[in-house]
Amino acid sequence: MRREPSVLHVDLDAFFAAVEQRDKPSLRGKPVVVGGIGLRGVVSTASYEARKYGVRSAMSTAEARSRCPHAAYLWPRFEVYRATSQAVMAEMRALSPLVEPLSLDEAFIDLAAAGLTGLTDDDVRAIAEDLKESIRAASGGLTASVGAGTSKLIAKIASDLDKPDGVVVVPAGTEAEFLAPMQVTVIPGVGPATAQRLSMAGVRTVADLQQLDEDELVRQVGTAHGTSLHRMAVAADDRPVVSDRETKSVSVEDTFETDIIDRALLTAIAERMARRVSERLQKAQLSGRTVTLKSRMHDFTTHTRSSTLAGPTDDPRVIARVARRLLDDTDLAGGIRLLGVGVSSLADWIQDDLFTDSEAAEAAEAEVVDVIELPERRSRDQGGYYTGQDVHHPDHGLGWVWGSGRGRVTVRFETAETPPGPVRTFAIDDPLLTKPAPAAAEEDAEPENRHNGPNE
């Protein structure tokens, strides 16, 4: 165990929603919900103004609308989020060469890898505050919350205690005391089912958990889970910060703010990822023989499972079939916080006839089940426009789509550098109104076929 709190966990506050508020001045200080905005949509991120009404990530958009009908409901703009994330990660890597990204908006940083030793708690706090200011400048004003501790577990929990825009440093040697008064659900992997089993044994806080020996925990929740919980309860976490960059592969991965244990939901997400990987392979005129499923578990351990085909493929049905099989072999106890599908062993040719007729039919049926669909696939009646999309007009400048449908598109013209701007409505086929390529809106939603602005 470390003798100083040299592990940082940095978490950008309400990242997607904060980027939208940054770029859309009229939405600053107002409820903003980013994600799928259709009937089957799911909330990806809610601004803190929306969270006051009970809106949270992974909630259905229908429920979010019932709780906060006056919020702005926007499609994700992943190309913008990625660019902002890259700028933020560059600031982290300027601080230390060892940065472990967990998603676009959070990462671990190892200060020891930067040669920073003999750090006092005040030193670490000052470093965290300086980093937050660097992130604010690099991102155009976004805030981050930082936790610091002697391990990943402590740093991650600490970063969540003073949100938004906070810093919490847990001194070395106080980890067990720090965890003790917290609800047992603060330990990664203790979801509702595990919490209920522990409650039946009289365990409701981490202090209660610390009183149980390992054998008793194993009897309550099983061998693997019990051993992990026993160690986590006393902050016995020696996992290193690891930079995991995949090379020579095409992959897609997503981090979930809430650990997912629903196998059907994870299967649908993996199938969607397989299709996206296939699209990227086809665009690059590549194929691959090895399909890999990456899963980061509730306790931040990362597992990869791979299967190598007889020949290279770019067929989404093949990739999805293999990904489903790999997922079937994954233990979901405690939940999954990150899932990814990738293809490696790349080639520039395709092996035909990898599918039998029955397998093709089965895969075609599976494709009907999709959690969320790309907006450009489902918005033909709206001229390909989706709420929140960036557009440009030669007379009015840059703006974003406020709503579209019934042959019209309504745009608010403003940018991050302007005050709240005017709203204008155009014919949906107006040649002067231009938009980015469809790939700009990459995931997470089924648009509504309505002429609604984001606040309706």
Side-chain angles (χ1 to χ4, degrees), residues 353-367:
D353 300 324
L354 290 178
F355 253 83
T356 65
D357 290 340
S358 61
E359 287 172 332
E362 178 184 354
E365 291 179 4
E367 288 180 7

PDB file of all heavy atoms in Angstrom, residues 353-367:
ATOM      1  N   ASP A 353     -18.697 -16.660 -46.734  1.00  0.00           N
ATOM      2  CA  ASP A 353     -19.401 -17.868 -46.295  1.00  0.00           C
ATOM      3  C   ASP A 353     -19.088 -18.272 -44.858  1.00  0.00           C
ATOM      4  O   ASP A 353     -19.045 -19.454 -44.541  1.00  0.00           O
ATOM      5  CB  ASP A 353     -19.092 -19.035 -47.235  1.00  0.00           C
ATOM      6  CG  ASP A 353     -19.512 -18.746 -48.669  1.00  0.00           C
ATOM      7  OD1 ASP A 353     -20.558 -18.084 -48.846  1.00  0.00           O
ATOM      8  OD2 ASP A 353     -18.789 -19.158 -49.577  1.00  0.00           O
ATOM      9  N   LEU A 354     -18.852 -17.296 -44.003  1.00  0.00           N
ATOM     10  CA  LEU A 354     -18.646 -17.621 -42.594  1.00  0.00           C
ATOM     11  C   LEU A 354     -19.975 -17.883 -41.897  1.00  0.00           C
ATOM     12  O   LEU A 354     -20.005 -18.415 -40.803  1.00  0.00           O
ATOM     13  CB  LEU A 354     -17.909 -16.481 -41.884  1.00  0.00           C
ATOM     14  CG  LEU A 354     -16.447 -16.302 -42.290  1.00  0.00           C
ATOM     15  CD1 LEU A 354     -15.862 -15.107 -41.556  1.00  0.00           C
ATOM     16  CD2 LEU A 354     -15.634 -17.548 -41.957  1.00  0.00           C
ATOM     17  N   PHE A 355     -21.073 -17.497 -42.540  1.00  0.00           N
ATOM     18  CA  PHE A 355     -22.397 -17.660 -41.955  1.00  0.00           C
ATOM     19  C   PHE A 355     -23.158 -18.762 -42.657  1.00  0.00           C
ATOM     20  O   PHE A 355     -23.141 -18.869 -43.880  1.00  0.00           O
ATOM     21  CB  PHE A 355     -23.208 -16.364 -42.139  1.00  0.00           C
ATOM     22  CG  PHE A 355     -23.379 -15.590 -40.875  1.00  0.00           C
ATOM     23  CD1 PHE A 355     -22.391 -14.732 -40.447  1.00  0.00           C
ATOM     24  CD2 PHE A 355     -24.526 -15.710 -40.120  1.00  0.00           C
ATOM     25  CE1 PHE A 355     -22.544 -14.001 -39.294  1.00  0.00           C
ATOM     26  CE2 PHE A 355     -24.693 -14.993 -38.962  1.00  0.00           C
ATOM     27  CZ  PHE A 355     -23.703 -14.132 -38.547  1.00  0.00           C
ATOM     28  N   THR A 356     -23.851 -19.574 -41.909  1.00  0.00           N
ATOM     29  CA  THR A 356     -24.836 -20.469 -42.498  1.00  0.00           C
ATOM     30  C   THR A 356     -26.141 -19.701 -42.637  1.00  0.00           C
ATOM     31  O   THR A 356     -26.326 -18.649 -42.050  1.00  0.00           O
ATOM     32  CB  THR A 356     -25.073 -21.688 -41.597  1.00  0.00           C
ATOM     33  OG1 THR A 356     -25.671 -21.238 -40.369  1.00  0.00           O
ATOM     34  CG2 THR A 356     -23.767 -22.399 -41.275  1.00  0.00           C
ATOM     35  N   ASP A 357     -27.063 -20.225 -43.414  1.00  0.00           N
ATOM     36  CA  ASP A 357     -28.342 -19.545 -43.601  1.00  0.00           C
ATOM     37  C   ASP A 357     -29.081 -19.380 -42.285  1.00  0.00           C
ATOM     38  O   ASP A 357     -29.676 -18.343 -42.011  1.00  0.00           O
ATOM     39  CB  ASP A 357     -29.219 -20.329 -44.589  1.00  0.00           C
ATOM     40  CG  ASP A 357     -28.671 -20.264 -46.006  1.00  0.00           C
ATOM     41  OD1 ASP A 357     -27.867 -19.324 -46.265  1.00  0.00           O
ATOM     42  OD2 ASP A 357     -29.037 -21.118 -46.828  1.00  0.00           O
ATOM     43  N   SER A 358     -29.050 -20.408 -41.429  1.00  0.00           N
ATOM     44  CA  SER A 358     -29.772 -20.320 -40.167  1.00  0.00           C
ATOM     45  C   SER A 358     -29.149 -19.282 -39.253  1.00  0.00           C
ATOM     46  O   SER A 358     -29.849 -18.560 -38.550  1.00  0.00           O
ATOM     47  CB  SER A 358     -29.779 -21.683 -39.469  1.00  0.00           C
ATOM     48  OG  SER A 358     -28.459 -22.108 -39.185  1.00  0.00           O
ATOM     49  N   GLU A 359     -27.815 -19.185 -39.259  1.00  0.00           N
ATOM     50  CA  GLU A 359     -27.151 -18.193 -38.424  1.00  0.00           C
ATOM     51  C   GLU A 359     -27.477 -16.784 -38.897  1.00  0.00           C
ATOM     52  O   GLU A 359     -27.668 -15.874 -38.104  1.00  0.00           O
ATOM     53  CB  GLU A 359     -25.635 -18.411 -38.448  1.00  0.00           C
ATOM     54  CG  GLU A 359     -25.190 -19.630 -37.668  1.00  0.00           C
ATOM     55  CD  GLU A 359     -23.719 -19.921 -37.873  1.00  0.00           C
ATOM     56  OE1 GLU A 359     -23.194 -19.564 -38.948  1.00  0.00           O
ATOM     57  OE2 GLU A 359     -23.096 -20.507 -36.974  1.00  0.00           O
ATOM     58  N   ALA A 360     -27.540 -16.599 -40.208  1.00  0.00           N
ATOM     59  CA  ALA A 360     -27.862 -15.288 -40.747  1.00  0.00           C
ATOM     60  C   ALA A 360     -29.264 -14.868 -40.339  1.00  0.00           C
ATOM     61  O   ALA A 360     -29.503 -13.714 -39.983  1.00  0.00           O
ATOM     62  CB  ALA A 360     -27.734 -15.302 -42.272  1.00  0.00           C
ATOM     63  N   ALA A 361     -30.195 -15.819 -40.404  1.00  0.00           N
ATOM     64  CA  ALA A 361     -31.566 -15.494 -40.016  1.00  0.00           C
ATOM     65  C   ALA A 361     -31.635 -15.131 -38.535  1.00  0.00           C
ATOM     66  O   ALA A 361     -32.327 -14.193 -38.136  1.00  0.00           O
ATOM     67  CB  ALA A 361     -32.481 -16.682 -40.321  1.00  0.00           C
ATOM     68  N   GLU A 362     -30.904 -15.893 -37.717  1.00  0.00           N
ATOM     69  CA  GLU A 362     -30.906 -15.625 -36.280  1.00  0.00           C
ATOM     70  C   GLU A 362     -30.329 -14.242 -35.992  1.00  0.00           C
ATOM     71  O   GLU A 362     -30.853 -13.485 -35.179  1.00  0.00           O
ATOM     72  CB  GLU A 362     -30.072 -16.682 -35.564  1.00  0.00           C
ATOM     73  CG  GLU A 362     -29.967 -16.473 -34.065  1.00  0.00           C
ATOM     74  CD  GLU A 362     -29.046 -17.484 -33.423  1.00  0.00           C
ATOM     75  OE1 GLU A 362     -28.588 -18.399 -34.134  1.00  0.00           O
ATOM     76  OE2 GLU A 362     -28.773 -17.340 -32.223  1.00  0.00           O
ATOM     77  N   ALA A 363     -29.247 -13.898 -36.697  1.00  0.00           N
ATOM     78  CA  ALA A 363     -28.627 -12.598 -36.475  1.00  0.00           C
ATOM     79  C   ALA A 363     -29.543 -11.472 -36.930  1.00  0.00           C
ATOM     80  O   ALA A 363     -29.611 -10.422 -36.298  1.00  0.00           O
ATOM     81  CB  ALA A 363     -27.299 -12.520 -37.225  1.00  0.00           C
ATOM     82  N   ALA A 364     -30.247 -11.682 -38.043  1.00  0.00           N
ATOM     83  CA  ALA A 364     -31.153 -10.642 -38.525  1.00  0.00           C
ATOM     84  C   ALA A 364     -32.247 -10.362 -37.507  1.00  0.00           C
ATOM     85  O   ALA A 364     -32.640  -9.219 -37.295  1.00  0.00           O
ATOM     86  CB  ALA A 364     -31.771 -11.076 -39.856  1.00  0.00           C
ATOM     87  N   GLU A 365     -32.755 -11.424 -36.851  1.00  0.00           N
ATOM     88  CA  GLU A 365     -33.762 -11.230 -35.815  1.00  0.00           C
ATOM     89  C   GLU A 365     -33.180 -10.476 -34.628  1.00  0.00           C
ATOM     90  O   GLU A 365     -33.822  -9.605 -34.045  1.00  0.00           O
ATOM     91  CB  GLU A 365     -34.309 -12.579 -35.356  1.00  0.00           C
ATOM     92  CG  GLU A 365     -35.151 -13.279 -36.398  1.00  0.00           C
ATOM     93  CD  GLU A 365     -35.643 -14.626 -35.905  1.00  0.00           C
ATOM     94  OE1 GLU A 365     -35.387 -14.955 -34.733  1.00  0.00           O
ATOM     95  OE2 GLU A 365     -36.284 -15.329 -36.685  1.00  0.00           O
ATOM     96  N   ALA A 366     -31.935 -10.796 -34.288  1.00  0.00           N
ATOM     97  CA  ALA A 366     -31.314 -10.149 -33.137  1.00  0.00           C
ATOM     98  C   ALA A 366     -31.146  -8.660 -33.377  1.00  0.00           C
ATOM     99  O   ALA A 366     -31.210  -7.855 -32.446  1.00  0.00           O
ATOM    100  CB  ALA A 366     -29.947 -10.784 -32.861  1.00  0.00           C
ATOM    101  N   GLU A 367     -30.935  -8.262 -34.644  1.00  0.00           N
ATOM    102  CA  GLU A 367     -30.705  -6.851 -34.937  1.00  0.00           C
ATOM    103  C   GLU A 367     -31.946  -6.004 -34.694  1.00  0.00           C
ATOM    104  O   GLU A 367     -31.865  -4.796 -34.561  1.00  0.00           O
ATOM    105  CB  GLU A 367     -30.237  -6.686 -36.387  1.00  0.00           C
ATOM    106  CG  GLU A 367     -28.810  -7.194 -36.589  1.00  0.00           C
ATOM    107  CD  GLU A 367     -28.351  -7.038 -38.017  1.00  0.00           C
ATOM    108  OE1 GLU A 367     -29.093  -6.408 -38.801  1.00  0.00           O
ATOM    109  OE2 GLU A 367     -27.271  -7.544 -38.351  1.00  0.00           O
TER     110      GLU A 367
END
